[in-house]
Amino acid sequence: MPENFPEPASAASARPQPAPSSGKTSQVSRPRGEAPERAAVETPVFAQLASMLPALRLLIGLLIAALVIAGLFFGRELLVPLALALLLGFLLDPAVSRLKRWGLSRMASTLLVVAITLCALGGMGAYLGNQVSQLSSDLPTYQSTIRTKLRDLRKYISGPSVWDGARKTYDTVEKEITSPSSRAPAPRVQKVEIQPIELKPLAQFTAWLDKISEPVLMAGIVLLFVVLILLDRDDLRDRLVRLMGGNLHLATNALDEASERIGRYLRMQFIVNASYGVPMAVGLWFIGVPGAILWGVVAAIMRFVPYVGPMVSAVFPLALAFAVDPGWNMFLWTLCLILLLELISNNVVEPWLYGTSTGLSTLSIIVAATFWTALWGPVGLILSTPLTVCLLVLGRYLPALKFMEVLLGNAPVLDAPRRLYQRLLGGDVEEAIELCTDTVDTLLPAKPTPAQVSDGVTRLYDDVVMPALRVATSHHTGAATAEHRLRLAQGMELLLVELAEQYPAPAPADTGLAPRPRVHCVGARWEVDALAAAAMAHALALSGHAASHSVHALSARMQAPNDASWGEVELLCLSVFTPQPEAQVRQICRRLHRRWPGLRIVLALWNAPPALLAEGAAAQLGVQAITTSVRELRLRADALLAASPDAGPLAAPVGDNDAQRVAALHASGWLDTNHTEAIHDMVVHAANAFHVPFAQVSLVDADWVHTPGTLLTSTRDGAQGSGLERALSVCSYVVHEERELQVEDIARDPRFADNPLLQSAHLRFYAGVPLHDRHGMVLGSFCIMDTEPRNLAANEFALLHDMARQLQTTLSRSAEVPPPSDAGPAMPGAPADAPAPGPLLGPGTGPAMV
């Protein structure tokens, strides 16, 4: 390797190192009297036992699974009623809880709900029984119609057809093969008739009782279990939490998720079945099929049985339409109605209502239905989905059952970067391109603006492409072969070219001359560095920069680039994936500055060690800034290429319809001082929930940001007030972009790194979500802040959105209530150079920082 560039750490670590020698022969210490041969024999034995441990674990797991399946099969007499009772408990518990909140005791609520349910089922059964008896009395009148249709069908089938010639030829060949001479005479068959045994009345009653005793007994056991489950719900929940281990948080989350998923599935199933049964009954009534309401109810009930139920429920109205109408119109209209409802329900209603309510994949639902039907029969088919949801939740929260989530869930088992890396390794470039374009399309609205396209592509590079390249570098000298590395490089090149074509940069101004690049991106050494540089150049070009990139990385054989056009580059972006790039970067920067002294360099470290992210590390390496993401690179380029880079912190942007938004703020009543206490309570809850020192509600006015009830207080220039200038507010970005904003490290964001208010409060983290009025206008933000860098997960952002919606509801309802006669007017907007007037000062208020 040339001495101009240091050897990569991965290559150095892969090279075998000689064992250290002290000049003496090393000896293995062993107990006195133990023979060397015995120690040499024991070592392979232990190694062999250790290699057998995974197989033993697998064998034990299979044995346990076999025992569990055997227990489910042989214990079905008890487990089936218990499972049915749990399912009904999920359905009835919300009604019991609602009655209990209204003031009834748990016992009274349970008995009332069970009684209403039994009465409803009994009334429905009586009505359906009446319908069935009426239809059975009318069936003999349809016998002539059935005989006539069957006779017509027989004539149609036996009539001449296009296959008659082939059938006659086949019959002739068959007669020649089986001629009478080759067959023995057929023996005479004697007709045998079995006469049924006449049972006495007592024996008939006993036989009838044996037939109905089993379902009646099961219904009684299910009813008893339902009552006990509804009465002792809290105690059962505590016992389940105790059985799941001592981690109360994990057990509580598992039970809540299982209850929420199963409850939502059952509610959606009921709505889907009702949306199918009601149109079925109405359609059959218009067609003229007798018992239309009966068949609509049967269709709705039978759809609780997956796959088989809809087919069974369709047989009855079709058979009745066949028997009633002498012609074929009623039968064909009934068939068309059933097919139409099936298409609408399966392709529109169910995907819309179900969504991802269960979290199960389609294959796992079919396999689970087969498995539970084989174990428990038709009842197992009904219970298959809820039981499989419980297994999915257990696999999500119990490490020993993690494989259940992988086998049953519909969530991708590989994250997007690893899926992209795997597609490229397999040579599936088309799938890799589809994966990336689908990711961008999910981030964009129907008609995106150029700024939204730029943000979407940047997020793709940060969240998918760069992590995939990071995985590739970690496997470069390990599991990856030469063919893998070639596929990755060629596939990534095609992917980047396709992304550049699908999301082109805006055309430069028509000046008659081709603009020369102001920003140039180049890789430091490896091919992955150059691929990342191409992605960086595309993202910068989408954001409005005249950016270019070098196809190949800076070679170790080059003392400095020889291209004279590099002298016209105003900003050079250097891409580096090496985990320890200090010496390499210093050497490259010295050569570049020796050739072009005024060249400014931004270093993009994709495997940056923590030491290089500290303050002052950029100056030590000879670069202007160090970035770790494409988004941060865009912000750094904007700051470094600004017309006045030393003009101070960037002012917050203002939208085109800001005047309308400000008018909506003043008309909303949210600026009334009566809301201060409620806002203060909400920000305290947010600070405690997210374990941060500061939380705040910001109502963004024309030039001022009102912060009633804020937890972030300070003094600036000796002025006391409850807000800050809009130009210095981070919340103004939330209002302008009308979406959530997270700044993981304020010190590394060029928009806010030089903000004096943020620096005085030592803030390093910000996360805010917009606050909307009833008409969808963004009036402010609800945010949390911390003095240390951090990152919010998706579920934490969802919780912050929920708290913001709760606050919106509170403020909107309070604004509708007329204020007391002594209440002052709503707070007007304050000028940018003055603190907010006094009426907004309340508990916990002071001059806010964001």
Side-chain angles (χ1 to χ4, degrees):
M1 180 177 293
E3 61 181 3
N4 294 329
F5 284 83
E7 184 177 5
S10 56
S13 59
R15 182 182 300 133
Q17 302 293 333
S21 175
S22 59
K24 298 181 181 181
T25 304
S26 61
Q27 297 180 355
V28 179
S29 61
R30 55 181 177 269
R32 181 178 297 177
E34 182 180 0
E37 293 81 2
R38 181 179 177 183
V41 170
E42 287 181 353
T43 300
V45 171
F46 286 125
Q48 186 177 4
L49 290 175
S51 63
M52 294 173 60
L53 285 178
L56 290 175
R57 292 193 187 99
L58 178 61
L59 182 62
I60 293 173
L62 294 176
L63 180 61
I64 294 174
L67 293 175
V68 170
I69 294 174
L72 291 173
F73 179 77
F74 292 106
R76 61 185 181 275
E77 299 296 334
L78 176 63
L79 295 177
V80 168
L82 181 59
L84 284 173
L86 288 173
L87 187 64
L88 293 175
F90 277 112
L91 282 173
L92 301 179
D93 183 69
V96 174
S97 301
R98 177 64 60 87
L99 291 176
K100 186 179 178 182
R101 286 196 297 269
W102 288 351
L104 292 179
S105 64
R106 187 79 186 179
M107 174 70 73
S109 303
T110 300
L111 295 179
L112 180 59
V113 169
V114 172
I116 294 174
T117 304
L118 291 178
C119 291
L121 293 177
M124 183 181 298
Y127 174 78
L128 296 180
N130 184 26
Q131 292 286 318
V132 171
S133 62
Q134 183 177 355
L135 285 174
S136 63
S137 63
D138 295 339
L139 281 178
T141 62
Y142 306 141
Q143 292 180 3
S144 60
T145 304
I146 296 175
R147 291 195 190 98
T148 304
K149 284 191 174 181
L150 291 178
R151 193 180 302 115
D152 294 339
L153 285 175
R154 192 180 302 113
K155 291 180 179 179
Y156 178 78
I157 294 174
S158 61
S161 65
V162 295
W163 303 103
D164 285 348
R167 183 167 55 84
K168 290 179 180 179
T169 304
Y170 176 79
D171 293 340
T172 303
V173 174
E174 185 181 12
K175 289 180 181 178
E176 291 295 331
I177 295 176
T178 59
S179 59
S181 59
S182 61
R183 292 184 299 176
R188 184 178 181 182
V189 179
Q190 186 175 0
K191 183 178 181 181
V192 179
E193 185 177 356
I194 301 176
Q195 296 291 336
I197 301 175
E198 291 289 338
L199 296 177
K200 296 181 179 181
L202 181 60
Q204 293 179 0
F205 176 76
T206 304
W208 176 80
L209 188 62
D210 290 338
K211 292 180 180 179
I212 69 169
S213 60
E214 183 176 355
V216 171
L217 181 61
M218 177 177 286
I221 295 175
V222 170
L223 178 61
L224 177 62
F225 279 157
V226 168
V227 174
L228 294 177
I229 288 172
L230 292 176
L231 286 175
D232 299 333
R233 186 200 66 168
D234 296 336
D235 182 67
L236 289 175
R237 181 180 56 191
D238 295 341
R239 295 181 185 277
L240 289 175
V241 168
R242 185 67 183 86
L243 286 175
M244 294 182 66
N247 191 335
L248 297 179
H249 300 87
L250 188 68
T252 302
N253 290 339
L255 291 179
D256 289 345
E257 182 174 348
S259 176
E260 192 268 339
R261 283 182 181 273
I262 294 176
R264 185 168 66 242
Y265 166 73
L266 294 176
R267 291 191 297 271
M268 294 301 104
Q269 181 74 54
F270 177 78
I271 296 174
V272 169
N273 293 1
S275 66
Y276 182 89
V278 172
M280 172 70 77
V282 174
L284 293 178
W285 182 78
F286 275 107
I287 293 172
V289 179
I293 299 178
L294 171 64
W295 306 129
V297 174
V298 170
I301 295 176
M302 290 302 295
R303 288 186 71 85
F304 278 103
V305 182
Y307 310 113
V308 180
M311 293 186 292
V312 174
S313 65
V315 171
F316 299 106
L318 287 174
L320 198 57
F322 176 83
V324 171
D325 187 14
W328 291 94
N329 292 334
M330 183 179 292
F331 178 83
L332 294 177
W333 278 110
T334 304
L335 180 62
C336 293
L337 174 66
I338 293 173
L339 294 177
L340 178 63
L341 291 178
E342 286 290 338
L343 289 174
I344 295 175
S345 179
N346 294 333
N347 299 299
V348 178
V349 179
E350 290 185 3
W352 174 48
L353 291 178
Y354 283 152
T356 57
S357 60
T358 61
L360 300 173
S361 64
T362 304
L363 179 62
S364 66
I365 291 176
I366 297 175
V367 173
T370 306
F371 173 78
W372 290 108
T373 304
L375 284 181
W376 291 354
V379 179
L381 183 60
I382 299 175
L383 298 173
S384 61
T385 299
L387 291 174
T388 310
V389 168
C390 294
L391 293 177
L392 173 67
V393 174
L394 289 176
R396 181 167 297 177
Y397 288 97
L398 297 181
L401 299 178
K402 188 69 177 178
F403 67 95
M404 287 289 186
E405 184 184 10
V406 177
L407 293 177
L408 303 176
N410 59 358
V413 295
L414 294 178
D415 56 9
R418 294 186 181 277
R419 275 187 289 157
L420 176 61
Y421 180 58
Q422 190 278 328
R423 302 302 188 268
L424 295 177
L425 286 182
D428 299 328
V429 182
E430 294 297 330
E431 292 187 15
I433 295 173
E434 182 179 359
L435 171 64
C436 292
T437 53
D438 290 345
T439 302
V440 177
D441 292 340
T442 57
L443 300 173
L444 300 179
K447 296 181 179 180
T449 63
Q452 291 172 334
V453 173
S454 177
D455 292 341
V457 174
T458 299
R459 289 185 61 181
L460 169 70
Y461 287 144
D462 278 334
D463 299 340
V464 180
V465 175
M466 296 305 177
L469 291 176
R470 192 177 296 114
V471 173
T473 57
S474 64
H475 295 169
H476 186 77
T477 56
T481 62
E483 184 177 2
H484 289 154
R485 291 191 285 269
L486 180 61
R487 288 180 181 176
L488 173 73
Q490 293 179 343
M492 186 61 74
E493 288 178 359
L494 295 176
L495 171 64
L496 295 175
V497 170
E498 183 68 23
L499 290 176
E501 292 179 356
Q502 290 200 22
Y503 308 102
D510 188 11
T511 58
L513 297 175
R516 296 182 177 181
R518 300 181 61 196
V519 182
H520 190 72
C521 302
V522 64
R525 177 171 179 80
W526 306 112
E527 194 167 19
V528 289
D529 296 338
L531 293 173
M536 293 158 50
H538 183 212
L540 290 172
L542 287 174
S543 62
H545 295 286
S548 61
H549 71 279
S550 296
V551 178
H552 302 289
L554 292 174
S555 173
R557 295 182 295 272
M558 294 173 53
Q559 296 298 324
N562 295 322
D563 191 354
S565 64
W566 276 45
E568 300 170 355
V569 172
E570 298 187 28
L571 188 65
L572 180 70
C573 301
L574 185 63
S575 171
V576 182
F577 271 96
T578 304
Q580 297 178 352
E582 294 92 333
Q584 178 180 353
V585 169
R586 288 194 186 96
Q587 192 175 23
I588 292 176
C589 292
R590 281 198 301 267
R591 293 171 181 169
L592 293 175
H593 287 149
R594 189 182 305 124
R595 180 72 178 274
W596 297 287
L599 183 64
R600 291 181 292 179
I601 302 174
V602 174
L603 184 61
L605 296 181
W606 309 113
N607 286 312
L612 290 184
L613 300 180
E615 186 177 359
Q620 295 178 2
L621 293 177
V623 298
Q624 272 62 44
I626 297 177
T627 63
T628 58
S629 66
V630 179
R631 179 177 176 275
E632 186 179 353
L633 175 66
R634 285 177 47 190
L635 296 175
R636 288 290 179 185
D638 292 340
L640 291 173
L641 297 177
S644 301
D646 299 329
L650 297 175
V654 178
D656 297 333
N657 62 338
D658 193 68
Q660 181 182 0
R661 188 197 60 80
V662 171
L665 173 64
H666 287 279
S668 65
W670 289 13
L671 295 176
D672 199 315
T673 56
N674 296 326
H675 303 320
T676 303
E677 185 175 356
I679 293 175
H680 179 72
D681 292 340
M682 184 60 73
V683 297
V684 169
H685 288 316
N688 292 332
F690 292 95
H691 193 59
V692 294
F694 308 117
Q696 182 173 289
V697 170
S698 301
L699 303 177
V700 181
D701 210 330
D703 299 316
W704 192 260
V705 177
H706 306 281
T707 57
T710 180
L711 298 182
L712 185 59
T713 60
S714 180
T715 301
R716 179 172 179 251
D717 298 332
Q720 293 290 338
S722 58
L724 73 158
E725 300 173 10
R726 179 175 178 177
L728 299 178
S729 173
V730 184
C731 294
S732 297
Y733 286 84
V734 178
V735 173
H736 177 259
E737 299 177 3
E738 298 185 353
R739 63 182 181 182
E740 64 186 35
L741 173 65
Q742 178 176 220
V743 185
E744 300 175 5
D745 190 353
I746 291 176
R748 300 194 56 79
D749 195 313
R751 297 171 298 177
F752 315 118
D754 298 329
N755 192 312
L757 298 181
L758 302 178
Q759 292 177 348
S760 63
H762 305 288
L763 294 180
R764 297 291 299 275
F765 168 77
Y766 173 92
V769 296
L771 291 172
H772 300 83
D773 63 1
R774 292 181 179 272
H775 306 289
M777 189 73 70
V778 179
L779 305 184
S781 70
F782 184 62
C783 62
I784 58 175
M785 294 155 284
D786 202 348
T787 56
E788 296 293 336
R790 59 179 294 181
N791 184 21
L792 283 190
N795 59 340
E796 292 178 314
F797 250 123
L799 177 60
L800 192 60
H801 277 287
D802 290 338
M803 298 184 72
R805 283 189 288 268
Q806 182 180 353
L807 180 61
Q808 291 169 189
T809 304
T810 302
L811 294 177
S812 298
R813 288 177 179 175
S814 301
E816 294 176 356
V817 179
S821 58
D822 56 347
M827 171 62 60
D833 56 349
L840 267 180
L841 288 176
T845 60
M849 295 296 109
V850 295

